[in-house]
Amino acid sequence: MSPVNNNVQINTDEHPPKFKVTIVGSGNWGSVASKLIASNTIKLSSFHDEVKMWVFEEILPSGEKLTDVINQTNENVKYLPGIKLGCNVVADPDLENAVRDANMLVFVTPHQFMEGICKRLVGKIRDDAQAISLIKGMEVKKEGPCMISTLISQQLGVNCCVLMGANIANEIAVEKFSEATVGYRGNREIAEKWVQLFSTPYFAVSACQDVEGVELCGTLKNIVAIAAGFVDGLDMGNNTKAAIMRIGLREMKALSKLLFSSVKDSTFFESCGVADLITTCLGGRNRKCAEAFAKNGGKRSFDDLEAEMLQGQKLQGVSTAKEVYEVLKHKGWLEMFPLFTTVHEICTRPPSPNRHC
Amino acid sequence: MSPVNNNVQINTDEHPPKFKVTIVGSGNWGSVASKLIASNTIKLSSFHDEVKMWVFEEILPSGEKLTDVINQTNENVKYLPGIKLGCNVVADPDLENAVRDANMLVFVTPHQFMEGICKRLVGKIRDDAQAISLIKGMEVKKEGPCMISTLISQQLGVNCCVLMGANIANEIAVEKFSEATVGYRGNREIAEKWVQLFSTPYFAVSACQDVEGVELCGTLKNIVAIAAGFVDGLDMGNNTKAAIMRIGLREMKALSKLLFSSVKDSTFFESCGVADLITTCLGGRNRKCAEAFAKNGGKRSFDDLEAEMLQGQKLQGVSTAKEVYEVLKHKGWLEMFPLFTTVHEICTRPPSPNRHC
């Protein structure tokens, strides 16, 4: 069994309360996050060593339960094979049990599951819980877009930061140097606590007081990555790719500022902004599928390509483009955002046998 | 002979004076610039059709003069083979003759030649001449850095704009879509004239009132490209590359603002800023040589690699890193710019047989 520390903490000035972390989600990025976090909680005295990770239970081809295999091997054999998560990570298939004792909740699931997860967690978390979202995407409702951090805050009555950045999970898993940005609303002290929880020598995290700007970067860049993939698939060259990325960054900034007047220009110079855009447009899955889409002249749908190329992972750019398109249309802003609009239009055109993207 | 128009213009309200363009320089980028410009002067009534291009005369292996071949074939067979420049481009090996009638001077030579060229041109250009520099680099003197546009302005007593952007010349030569930024000091009307002269359906130019910011972007990004090449050569992955590019962009912005308080943050969102950085770090020659340098574990010098890989073109990043290093050292700013400083230090370390970059 893991060397976990479940001692009750005595809350005196000499012994301030320890923070207890639970990760809600255990996909590729969630597993890497658990590795980062577990390497810190075991070293830093202000955190409990044990990190709980809620795992959506699956039965593996071997007949074993995924959680059992993670707890026996310290490895998420399905979503992050070959990487040790740390012996202090404990997989738990029971969502309510996983969050019960935690006062630092890390949300990292596909964004479409968050509304359901929040509903299940109402009244089940600690009063002093803090949350952070690593989720890219937003829920679009009739009344407009709702950021995932807002959904979490509103549904669970907690303060919710976000962590975004140039973070291809498999590269961080093998400890290649990366940066990330924590976006926070008002409480700098909590932001610093999250920075401490995630930072390692190969993962440099900084804090930025602009939660909406940071979160929108993480969401909107996936649309730009689709456009960058088209450029790659059509062999349009580096100048065009850079131009598309620049125009994309400009639309990201413009839309973020229209949606939230508090968004700062400087956020787009952080890892969550220009760096994440670069990483995603160089190597991410949205770019890759869009490249294949363009190479096939739009004759194969994104659903098809996603099923073939992503082994069960979800392509966020296409759905984000659709959601953003709805917002732009509802607000009468379509013409102000030609790149976002065109990406959605290309993604949803019916296939034509004679078309070259 | 080219369909040139040498009629003297009558300056009345109905016939405003025509602008006459000379390009000083005829390398790869200069030749592409002449193609862009010539396609516009022949169409727009406010410009003389003929575009003169000063060519540093060379004798080709065939025994012919380069200028003769350009004028006979409309092609710069040495620096832009396979591309027609336009029949209204006239190559001239005589610098003074080439500039004599021009009131729009486009400077596009390697930056180390500009001081000599300016000296030769003093008193030889028209009183109403306007200049633009497409040259990346700066002259560093004891008293500090001197931008090329400043050198031109001061030596020749002319107003000098700059044009920079995500512009790999060979891609623009084959009409792949690109953007560029004209940086200007005060006169918006002249800036618009330059925009008009360069813009084509595949070359989108916009103006930005920040000549120093635009020019420094074009210069400093070459240092970042060297760092990006190291990342590629060492197979450090996309997250690291994005992080290095972001840190590089931050140092570009910080140094520009320290050198010129007028520099605007918004300039770095233009094509000359983030987009040029991206193009240069994806495909440029500085990146390519730095990748080879790192792959060779620093055992072959940049001079060697440049001679082998660039067919007579010059590697600007290494010399710019050296010049910037001198400025940083002189001002006591080395510690504020770890990326710029480290690039210079790596470039100038003596080769060691056992080193891995």
Side-chain angles (χ1 to χ4, degrees), chain A residues 166-168 171-172 176-179 235-240 242-243 245-247 249 253 265 269-271 274-275 278-279 282-283, chain B residues 166-168 171-172 176-179 235-240 242-243 245-247 249 253 269-271 274-275 278-279 282-283:
Chain A
N167 300 149
I168 292 179
E171 295 184 4
I172 302 168
K176 291 188 169 176
F177 178 73
S178 301
E179 297 182 308
D235 273 330
M236 296 170 81
N238 285 333
N239 290 349
T240 307
M245 288 165 70
R246 186 193 83 82
I247 293 166
L249 186 63
K253 182 155 71 80
D265 281 355
F269 289 120
E270 296 295 330
S271 180
V274 62
I278 291 169
T279 306
L282 293 185
Chain B
N167 300 149
I168 292 178
E171 294 183 4
I172 302 169
K176 290 186 171 178
F177 178 74
S178 301
E179 298 182 308
D235 273 332
M236 296 171 83
N238 286 332
N239 290 350
T240 308
M245 290 165 68
R246 185 193 84 81
I247 292 165
L249 185 65
K253 183 155 71 80
F269 288 120
E270 296 296 329
S271 179
V274 62
I278 291 168
T279 305
L282 292 185

Short mmCIF file of all heavy atoms in Angstrom, two decimals, chain A residues 166-168 171-172 176-179 235-240 242-243 245-247 249 253 265 269-271 274-275 278-279 282-283, chain B residues 166-168 171-172 176-179 235-240 242-243 245-247 249 253 269-271 274-275 278-279 282-283:
data_model
loop_
_atom_site.label_atom_id
_atom_site.label_comp_id
_atom_site.label_asym_id
_atom_site.label_seq_id
_atom_site.Cartn_x
_atom_site.Cartn_y
_atom_site.Cartn_z
N ALA A 166 0.95 25.78 -22.36
CA ALA A 166 1.51 25.00 -23.47
C ALA A 166 1.84 23.62 -22.95
O ALA A 166 2.97 23.33 -22.60
CB ALA A 166 2.75 25.69 -24.02
N ASN A 167 0.85 22.77 -22.87
CA ASN A 167 0.94 21.54 -22.09
C ASN A 167 0.47 20.31 -22.83
O ASN A 167 -0.61 19.78 -22.56
CB ASN A 167 0.10 21.69 -20.79
CG ASN A 167 0.56 22.85 -19.89
OD1 ASN A 167 -0.22 23.44 -19.20
ND2 ASN A 167 1.85 23.15 -19.93
N ILE A 168 1.27 19.84 -23.78
CA ILE A 168 0.98 18.53 -24.36
C ILE A 168 1.35 17.52 -23.29
O ILE A 168 2.50 17.46 -22.83
CB ILE A 168 1.75 18.33 -25.67
CG1 ILE A 168 1.18 19.30 -26.73
CG2 ILE A 168 1.66 16.88 -26.15
CD1 ILE A 168 1.86 19.24 -28.07
N GLU A 171 4.37 15.02 -23.23
CA GLU A 171 5.71 15.61 -23.10
C GLU A 171 6.03 15.94 -21.65
O GLU A 171 7.16 15.78 -21.20
CB GLU A 171 5.83 16.87 -23.98
CG GLU A 171 5.73 16.53 -25.48
CD GLU A 171 5.94 17.73 -26.41
OE1 GLU A 171 6.23 18.84 -25.91
OE2 GLU A 171 5.79 17.55 -27.62
N ILE A 172 5.00 16.40 -20.91
CA ILE A 172 5.21 16.69 -19.48
C ILE A 172 5.42 15.37 -18.73
O ILE A 172 6.23 15.29 -17.81
CB ILE A 172 4.02 17.47 -18.91
CG1 ILE A 172 3.84 18.77 -19.70
CG2 ILE A 172 4.21 17.78 -17.42
CD1 ILE A 172 2.55 19.48 -19.42
N LYS A 176 9.75 16.77 -20.02
CA LYS A 176 10.31 17.80 -20.89
C LYS A 176 9.81 19.17 -20.37
O LYS A 176 8.65 19.29 -19.97
CB LYS A 176 9.88 17.55 -22.33
CG LYS A 176 10.56 16.31 -22.90
CD LYS A 176 10.32 16.13 -24.37
CE LYS A 176 11.23 15.04 -24.90
NZ LYS A 176 10.99 14.73 -26.32
N PHE A 177 10.66 20.17 -20.43
CA PHE A 177 10.33 21.46 -19.82
C PHE A 177 9.08 22.12 -20.43
O PHE A 177 8.93 22.20 -21.65
CB PHE A 177 11.51 22.43 -19.99
CG PHE A 177 11.23 23.79 -19.44
CD1 PHE A 177 11.21 24.00 -18.07
CD2 PHE A 177 10.95 24.86 -20.28
CE1 PHE A 177 10.92 25.25 -17.54
CE2 PHE A 177 10.66 26.12 -19.76
CZ PHE A 177 10.65 26.31 -18.39
N SER A 178 8.19 22.56 -19.55
CA SER A 178 6.96 23.25 -19.97
C SER A 178 6.65 24.38 -19.00
O SER A 178 7.16 24.40 -17.89
CB SER A 178 5.77 22.29 -19.94
OG SER A 178 5.98 21.20 -20.78
N GLU A 179 5.81 25.28 -19.46
CA GLU A 179 5.30 26.35 -18.59
C GLU A 179 3.77 26.25 -18.51
O GLU A 179 3.15 25.66 -19.39
CB GLU A 179 5.63 27.72 -19.17
CG GLU A 179 7.11 28.02 -19.29
CD GLU A 179 7.33 29.43 -19.84
OE1 GLU A 179 6.75 29.76 -20.91
OE2 GLU A 179 8.06 30.19 -19.22
N ASP A 235 -0.56 22.32 -47.41
CA ASP A 235 0.84 22.69 -47.72
C ASP A 235 0.99 24.16 -48.07
O ASP A 235 1.62 24.52 -49.07
CB ASP A 235 1.37 21.85 -48.90
CG ASP A 235 1.94 20.53 -48.42
OD1 ASP A 235 2.44 20.49 -47.27
OD2 ASP A 235 1.88 19.55 -49.18
N MET A 236 0.43 25.02 -47.23
CA MET A 236 0.44 26.45 -47.55
C MET A 236 1.70 27.16 -47.03
O MET A 236 1.89 28.33 -47.31
CB MET A 236 -0.83 27.12 -47.03
CG MET A 236 -2.07 26.58 -47.74
SD MET A 236 -3.60 27.14 -46.98
CE MET A 236 -3.73 28.77 -47.70
N GLY A 237 2.50 26.48 -46.25
CA GLY A 237 3.79 27.07 -45.85
C GLY A 237 3.75 27.78 -44.51
O GLY A 237 2.69 27.97 -43.91
N ASN A 238 4.93 28.16 -44.05
CA ASN A 238 5.10 28.72 -42.71
C ASN A 238 4.60 30.14 -42.55
O ASN A 238 4.12 30.52 -41.50
CB ASN A 238 6.58 28.66 -42.30
CG ASN A 238 7.00 27.25 -41.95
OD1 ASN A 238 6.17 26.44 -41.52
ND2 ASN A 238 8.26 26.94 -42.16
N ASN A 239 4.76 30.96 -43.60
CA ASN A 239 4.24 32.33 -43.51
C ASN A 239 2.73 32.30 -43.28
O ASN A 239 2.21 33.03 -42.43
CB ASN A 239 4.49 33.10 -44.81
CG ASN A 239 5.94 33.44 -45.06
OD1 ASN A 239 6.77 33.27 -44.18
ND2 ASN A 239 6.24 33.90 -46.26
N THR A 240 2.04 31.48 -44.09
CA THR A 240 0.58 31.41 -43.98
C THR A 240 0.19 30.86 -42.61
O THR A 240 -0.74 31.37 -41.98
CB THR A 240 0.00 30.51 -45.08
OG1 THR A 240 0.49 30.96 -46.34
CG2 THR A 240 -1.51 30.58 -45.09
N ALA A 242 1.84 31.06 -39.82
CA ALA A 242 2.07 32.11 -38.81
C ALA A 242 0.98 33.18 -38.89
O ALA A 242 0.51 33.68 -37.87
CB ALA A 242 3.45 32.73 -39.00
N ALA A 243 0.59 33.53 -40.12
CA ALA A 243 -0.45 34.55 -40.29
C ALA A 243 -1.77 34.07 -39.70
O ALA A 243 -2.47 34.80 -38.98
CB ALA A 243 -0.61 34.90 -41.78
N MET A 245 -2.16 31.82 -37.35
CA MET A 245 -2.05 31.77 -35.90
C MET A 245 -2.16 33.17 -35.30
O MET A 245 -2.78 33.37 -34.25
CB MET A 245 -0.72 31.12 -35.51
CG MET A 245 -0.71 29.62 -35.78
SD MET A 245 0.96 28.90 -35.75
CE MET A 245 1.33 29.02 -33.99
N ARG A 246 -1.56 34.16 -35.97
CA ARG A 246 -1.64 35.54 -35.48
C ARG A 246 -3.07 36.07 -35.53
O ARG A 246 -3.56 36.68 -34.57
CB ARG A 246 -0.75 36.45 -36.33
CG ARG A 246 -0.66 37.87 -35.81
CD ARG A 246 -0.05 38.81 -36.83
NE ARG A 246 -1.03 39.27 -37.79
CZ ARG A 246 -1.88 40.28 -37.58
NH1 ARG A 246 -1.86 40.94 -36.46
NH2 ARG A 246 -2.75 40.61 -38.50
N ILE A 247 -3.73 35.82 -36.65
CA ILE A 247 -5.12 36.27 -36.79
C ILE A 247 -5.98 35.55 -35.75
O ILE A 247 -6.87 36.13 -35.13
CB ILE A 247 -5.62 36.02 -38.23
CG1 ILE A 247 -4.86 36.93 -39.21
CG2 ILE A 247 -7.13 36.27 -38.34
CD1 ILE A 247 -5.01 36.54 -40.68
N LEU A 249 -4.95 34.44 -32.80
CA LEU A 249 -4.65 35.03 -31.49
C LEU A 249 -5.39 36.36 -31.33
O LEU A 249 -5.94 36.66 -30.27
CB LEU A 249 -3.14 35.25 -31.35
CG LEU A 249 -2.62 35.73 -29.99
CD1 LEU A 249 -2.90 34.71 -28.89
CD2 LEU A 249 -1.13 36.04 -30.03
N LYS A 253 -8.19 37.21 -28.51
CA LYS A 253 -8.11 38.37 -27.62
C LYS A 253 -9.37 39.24 -27.76
O LYS A 253 -9.96 39.66 -26.76
CB LYS A 253 -6.85 39.18 -28.00
CG LYS A 253 -6.58 40.38 -27.16
CD LYS A 253 -5.09 40.75 -27.17
CE LYS A 253 -4.59 41.33 -28.47
NZ LYS A 253 -4.90 42.76 -28.67
N ASP A 265 -4.80 42.32 -21.91
CA ASP A 265 -3.94 42.01 -23.06
C ASP A 265 -2.74 41.17 -22.66
O ASP A 265 -2.32 40.27 -23.38
CB ASP A 265 -3.40 43.31 -23.69
CG ASP A 265 -4.44 43.99 -24.58
OD1 ASP A 265 -5.53 43.40 -24.78
OD2 ASP A 265 -4.17 45.10 -25.06
N PHE A 269 0.25 37.08 -23.60
CA PHE A 269 1.71 36.86 -23.65
C PHE A 269 2.15 35.76 -22.68
O PHE A 269 3.33 35.42 -22.62
CB PHE A 269 2.47 38.15 -23.33
CG PHE A 269 2.40 39.21 -24.40
CD1 PHE A 269 1.86 40.46 -24.14
CD2 PHE A 269 2.91 38.96 -25.67
CE1 PHE A 269 1.81 41.44 -25.14
CE2 PHE A 269 2.87 39.93 -26.67
CZ PHE A 269 2.32 41.17 -26.40
N GLU A 270 1.22 35.24 -21.89
CA GLU A 270 1.56 34.20 -20.92
C GLU A 270 1.55 32.83 -21.59
O GLU A 270 1.16 32.70 -22.75
CB GLU A 270 0.56 34.23 -19.74
CG GLU A 270 0.59 35.52 -18.93
CD GLU A 270 1.91 35.74 -18.20
OE1 GLU A 270 2.57 34.76 -17.83
OE2 GLU A 270 2.29 36.91 -18.01
N SER A 271 1.94 31.82 -20.83
CA SER A 271 1.97 30.47 -21.40
C SER A 271 0.60 30.06 -21.92
O SER A 271 0.48 29.42 -22.97
CB SER A 271 2.46 29.47 -20.36
OG SER A 271 2.48 28.17 -20.91
N VAL A 274 -0.02 32.87 -26.03
CA VAL A 274 0.74 32.63 -27.25
C VAL A 274 1.45 31.27 -27.21
O VAL A 274 1.51 30.56 -28.23
CB VAL A 274 1.73 33.79 -27.49
CG1 VAL A 274 2.74 33.94 -26.38
CG2 VAL A 274 2.45 33.63 -28.81
N ALA A 275 1.94 30.83 -26.05
CA ALA A 275 2.70 29.57 -26.01
C ALA A 275 1.78 28.38 -26.23
O ALA A 275 2.10 27.47 -27.01
CB ALA A 275 3.45 29.45 -24.68
N ILE A 278 0.91 28.15 -29.80
CA ILE A 278 2.01 27.59 -30.62
C ILE A 278 2.05 26.06 -30.47
O ILE A 278 2.06 25.33 -31.46
CB ILE A 278 3.36 28.23 -30.21
CG1 ILE A 278 3.40 29.70 -30.62
CG2 ILE A 278 4.52 27.46 -30.83
CD1 ILE A 278 4.58 30.49 -30.03
N THR A 279 2.07 25.58 -29.23
CA THR A 279 2.13 24.12 -29.02
C THR A 279 0.99 23.41 -29.72
O THR A 279 1.19 22.39 -30.37
CB THR A 279 2.03 23.80 -27.51
OG1 THR A 279 3.03 24.52 -26.83
CG2 THR A 279 2.24 22.33 -27.25
N LEU A 282 1.36 23.35 -33.37
CA LEU A 282 2.48 22.55 -33.88
C LEU A 282 2.20 21.06 -33.74
O LEU A 282 2.53 20.29 -34.63
CB LEU A 282 3.78 22.87 -33.12
CG LEU A 282 4.41 24.24 -33.29
CD1 LEU A 282 5.74 24.31 -32.56
CD2 LEU A 282 4.61 24.57 -34.76
N GLY A 283 1.60 20.66 -32.61
CA GLY A 283 1.58 19.23 -32.36
C GLY A 283 0.29 18.64 -31.81
O GLY A 283 0.21 17.43 -31.63
N ALA B 166 6.15 38.16 -41.03
CA ALA B 166 6.34 36.72 -41.19
C ALA B 166 6.56 36.45 -42.67
O ALA B 166 5.65 36.07 -43.38
CB ALA B 166 5.11 35.98 -40.67
N ASN B 167 7.80 36.65 -43.11
CA ASN B 167 8.08 36.76 -44.54
C ASN B 167 9.26 35.91 -44.97
O ASN B 167 10.34 36.42 -45.26
CB ASN B 167 8.36 38.22 -44.91
CG ASN B 167 7.20 39.16 -44.61
OD1 ASN B 167 7.40 40.33 -44.31
ND2 ASN B 167 5.98 38.66 -44.67
N ILE B 168 9.07 34.59 -45.03
CA ILE B 168 10.09 33.76 -45.67
C ILE B 168 9.97 34.04 -47.17
O ILE B 168 8.90 33.82 -47.78
CB ILE B 168 9.90 32.28 -45.32
CG1 ILE B 168 10.20 32.08 -43.83
CG2 ILE B 168 10.79 31.38 -46.19
CD1 ILE B 168 10.01 30.67 -43.33
N GLU B 171 8.58 31.69 -49.99
CA GLU B 171 7.15 31.39 -49.94
C GLU B 171 6.33 32.53 -50.57
O GLU B 171 5.33 32.29 -51.24
CB GLU B 171 6.69 31.13 -48.50
CG GLU B 171 7.32 29.85 -47.93
CD GLU B 171 6.84 29.49 -46.52
OE1 GLU B 171 5.95 30.17 -45.98
OE2 GLU B 171 7.38 28.52 -45.96
N ILE B 172 6.77 33.76 -50.33
CA ILE B 172 6.07 34.90 -50.94
C ILE B 172 6.32 34.89 -52.45
O ILE B 172 5.43 35.21 -53.25
CB ILE B 172 6.56 36.22 -50.32
CG1 ILE B 172 6.31 36.19 -48.80
CG2 ILE B 172 5.85 37.42 -50.94
CD1 ILE B 172 6.98 37.30 -48.05
N LYS B 176 2.38 32.39 -51.81
CA LYS B 176 1.65 31.84 -50.66
C LYS B 176 1.30 33.00 -49.74
O LYS B 176 2.09 33.91 -49.55
CB LYS B 176 2.50 30.79 -49.95
CG LYS B 176 2.65 29.54 -50.80
CD LYS B 176 3.36 28.42 -50.08
CE LYS B 176 3.26 27.14 -50.93
NZ LYS B 176 3.97 26.01 -50.31
N PHE B 177 0.12 32.95 -49.13
CA PHE B 177 -0.39 34.08 -48.35
C PHE B 177 0.53 34.44 -47.17
O PHE B 177 0.94 33.59 -46.40
CB PHE B 177 -1.79 33.78 -47.81
CG PHE B 177 -2.34 34.89 -46.97
CD1 PHE B 177 -2.78 36.07 -47.55
CD2 PHE B 177 -2.38 34.78 -45.58
CE1 PHE B 177 -3.27 37.11 -46.77
CE2 PHE B 177 -2.86 35.83 -44.79
CZ PHE B 177 -3.30 36.98 -45.40
N SER B 178 0.84 35.73 -47.06
CA SER B 178 1.65 36.25 -45.96
C SER B 178 1.11 37.61 -45.51
O SER B 178 0.38 38.27 -46.24
CB SER B 178 3.10 36.47 -46.41
OG SER B 178 3.67 35.28 -46.88
N GLU B 179 1.53 38.01 -44.32
CA GLU B 179 1.22 39.35 -43.81
C GLU B 179 2.53 40.09 -43.52
O GLU B 179 3.56 39.45 -43.33
CB GLU B 179 0.45 39.26 -42.50
CG GLU B 179 -0.89 38.58 -42.58
CD GLU B 179 -1.59 38.60 -41.24
OE1 GLU B 179 -0.98 38.17 -40.23
OE2 GLU B 179 -2.75 39.05 -41.19
N ASP B 235 15.74 17.69 -29.63
CA ASP B 235 14.48 16.94 -29.53
C ASP B 235 13.76 17.17 -28.22
O ASP B 235 13.33 16.21 -27.55
CB ASP B 235 14.76 15.43 -29.68
CG ASP B 235 14.77 15.03 -31.14
OD1 ASP B 235 14.08 15.69 -31.94
OD2 ASP B 235 15.48 14.07 -31.49
N MET B 236 13.63 18.43 -27.83
CA MET B 236 13.02 18.72 -26.54
C MET B 236 11.49 18.83 -26.58
O MET B 236 10.86 18.97 -25.54
CB MET B 236 13.63 20.00 -25.95
CG MET B 236 15.12 19.82 -25.66
SD MET B 236 15.91 21.36 -25.23
CE MET B 236 15.49 21.48 -23.50
N GLY B 237 10.91 18.80 -27.78
CA GLY B 237 9.45 18.75 -27.87
C GLY B 237 8.79 20.11 -28.04
O GLY B 237 9.42 21.16 -27.93
N ASN B 238 7.49 20.04 -28.29
CA ASN B 238 6.72 21.25 -28.64
C ASN B 238 6.43 22.17 -27.46
O ASN B 238 6.39 23.38 -27.63
CB ASN B 238 5.41 20.87 -29.31
CG ASN B 238 5.62 20.38 -30.72
OD1 ASN B 238 6.59 20.78 -31.37
ND2 ASN B 238 4.75 19.52 -31.20
N ASN B 239 6.22 21.59 -26.28
CA ASN B 239 5.98 22.44 -25.11
C ASN B 239 7.20 23.32 -24.86
O ASN B 239 7.08 24.52 -24.61
CB ASN B 239 5.76 21.61 -23.84
CG ASN B 239 4.43 20.86 -23.84
OD1 ASN B 239 3.58 21.10 -24.69
ND2 ASN B 239 4.28 19.96 -22.88
N THR B 240 8.37 22.69 -24.87
CA THR B 240 9.60 23.44 -24.60
C THR B 240 9.82 24.48 -25.68
O THR B 240 10.19 25.62 -25.39
CB THR B 240 10.80 22.48 -24.55
OG1 THR B 240 10.52 21.42 -23.64
CG2 THR B 240 12.06 23.20 -24.10
N ALA B 242 7.60 25.99 -27.49
CA ALA B 242 6.64 27.08 -27.28
C ALA B 242 7.07 27.95 -26.10
O ALA B 242 6.97 29.19 -26.14
CB ALA B 242 5.24 26.53 -27.06
N ALA B 243 7.57 27.31 -25.05
CA ALA B 243 8.02 28.06 -23.87
C ALA B 243 9.20 28.96 -24.23
O ALA B 243 9.24 30.15 -23.85
CB ALA B 243 8.39 27.09 -22.74
N MET B 245 9.96 30.13 -27.18
CA MET B 245 9.49 31.21 -28.05
C MET B 245 8.76 32.28 -27.24
O MET B 245 8.91 33.48 -27.49
CB MET B 245 8.58 30.63 -29.14
CG MET B 245 9.33 29.81 -30.17
SD MET B 245 8.26 28.77 -31.22
CE MET B 245 7.42 30.05 -32.18
N ARG B 246 7.99 31.86 -26.25
CA ARG B 246 7.27 32.82 -25.41
C ARG B 246 8.24 33.65 -24.58
O ARG B 246 8.13 34.87 -24.50
CB ARG B 246 6.31 32.07 -24.48
CG ARG B 246 5.43 33.01 -23.66
CD ARG B 246 4.74 32.26 -22.53
NE ARG B 246 5.61 32.15 -21.37
CZ ARG B 246 5.80 33.10 -20.47
NH1 ARG B 246 5.17 34.26 -20.59
NH2 ARG B 246 6.61 32.92 -19.45
N ILE B 247 9.22 32.98 -23.99
CA ILE B 247 10.20 33.69 -23.18
C ILE B 247 10.99 34.64 -24.09
O ILE B 247 11.29 35.78 -23.73
CB ILE B 247 11.13 32.69 -22.45
CG1 ILE B 247 10.33 31.92 -21.39
CG2 ILE B 247 12.32 33.41 -21.80
CD1 ILE B 247 11.03 30.67 -20.86
N LEU B 249 9.85 36.06 -26.87
CA LEU B 249 8.97 37.18 -27.20
C LEU B 249 8.93 38.18 -26.04
O LEU B 249 8.98 39.40 -26.24
CB LEU B 249 7.56 36.66 -27.52
CG LEU B 249 6.54 37.69 -28.01
CD1 LEU B 249 6.95 38.28 -29.36
CD2 LEU B 249 5.13 37.06 -28.13
N LYS B 253 10.13 42.08 -26.17
CA LYS B 253 9.27 43.19 -25.75
C LYS B 253 9.97 44.01 -24.66
O LYS B 253 10.01 45.24 -24.73
CB LYS B 253 7.95 42.61 -25.24
CG LYS B 253 6.91 43.62 -24.83
CD LYS B 253 5.49 43.06 -24.94
CE LYS B 253 5.15 42.03 -23.91
NZ LYS B 253 4.78 42.57 -22.58
N PHE B 269 1.77 41.94 -31.22
CA PHE B 269 0.66 41.12 -31.75
C PHE B 269 0.54 41.26 -33.27
O PHE B 269 -0.30 40.63 -33.88
CB PHE B 269 -0.68 41.54 -31.11
CG PHE B 269 -0.83 41.13 -29.67
CD1 PHE B 269 -1.03 42.08 -28.68
CD2 PHE B 269 -0.80 39.78 -29.31
CE1 PHE B 269 -1.18 41.70 -27.35
CE2 PHE B 269 -0.96 39.40 -27.99
CZ PHE B 269 -1.15 40.36 -27.00
N GLU B 270 1.35 42.13 -33.87
CA GLU B 270 1.28 42.33 -35.32
C GLU B 270 2.12 41.26 -36.03
O GLU B 270 2.82 40.49 -35.40
CB GLU B 270 1.80 43.73 -35.69
CG GLU B 270 0.96 44.88 -35.14
CD GLU B 270 -0.45 44.91 -35.71
OE1 GLU B 270 -0.65 44.49 -36.87
OE2 GLU B 270 -1.36 45.34 -34.98
N SER B 271 2.07 41.28 -37.36
CA SER B 271 2.83 40.29 -38.12
C SER B 271 4.32 40.36 -37.80
O SER B 271 5.00 39.33 -37.69
CB SER B 271 2.62 40.49 -39.62
OG SER B 271 3.37 39.54 -40.34
N VAL B 274 4.62 38.50 -33.15
CA VAL B 274 4.41 37.08 -32.89
C VAL B 274 4.46 36.24 -34.16
O VAL B 274 5.01 35.13 -34.17
CB VAL B 274 3.10 36.88 -32.09
CG1 VAL B 274 1.88 37.34 -32.85
CG2 VAL B 274 2.93 35.43 -31.66
N ALA B 275 3.94 36.76 -35.27
CA ALA B 275 3.88 35.94 -36.49
C ALA B 275 5.28 35.74 -37.08
O ALA B 275 5.63 34.62 -37.47
CB ALA B 275 2.95 36.59 -37.52
N ILE B 278 7.07 33.22 -35.07
CA ILE B 278 6.63 31.85 -35.35
C ILE B 278 7.26 31.34 -36.65
O ILE B 278 7.86 30.27 -36.69
CB ILE B 278 5.08 31.78 -35.42
CG1 ILE B 278 4.46 32.02 -34.04
CG2 ILE B 278 4.62 30.44 -36.00
CD1 ILE B 278 2.95 32.24 -34.04
N THR B 279 7.15 32.13 -37.72
CA THR B 279 7.71 31.70 -39.01
C THR B 279 9.20 31.41 -38.88
O THR B 279 9.70 30.40 -39.38
CB THR B 279 7.54 32.82 -40.06
OG1 THR B 279 6.17 33.17 -40.11
CG2 THR B 279 7.98 32.35 -41.42
N LEU B 282 9.89 28.30 -37.01
CA LEU B 282 9.46 27.07 -37.68
C LEU B 282 10.36 26.72 -38.85
O LEU B 282 10.71 25.57 -39.06
CB LEU B 282 8.02 27.20 -38.19
CG LEU B 282 6.90 27.30 -37.17
CD1 LEU B 282 5.54 27.29 -37.86
CD2 LEU B 282 6.98 26.16 -36.17
N GLY B 283 10.75 27.76 -39.64
CA GLY B 283 11.38 27.41 -40.90
C GLY B 283 12.59 28.21 -41.33
O GLY B 283 13.17 27.92 -42.36
#
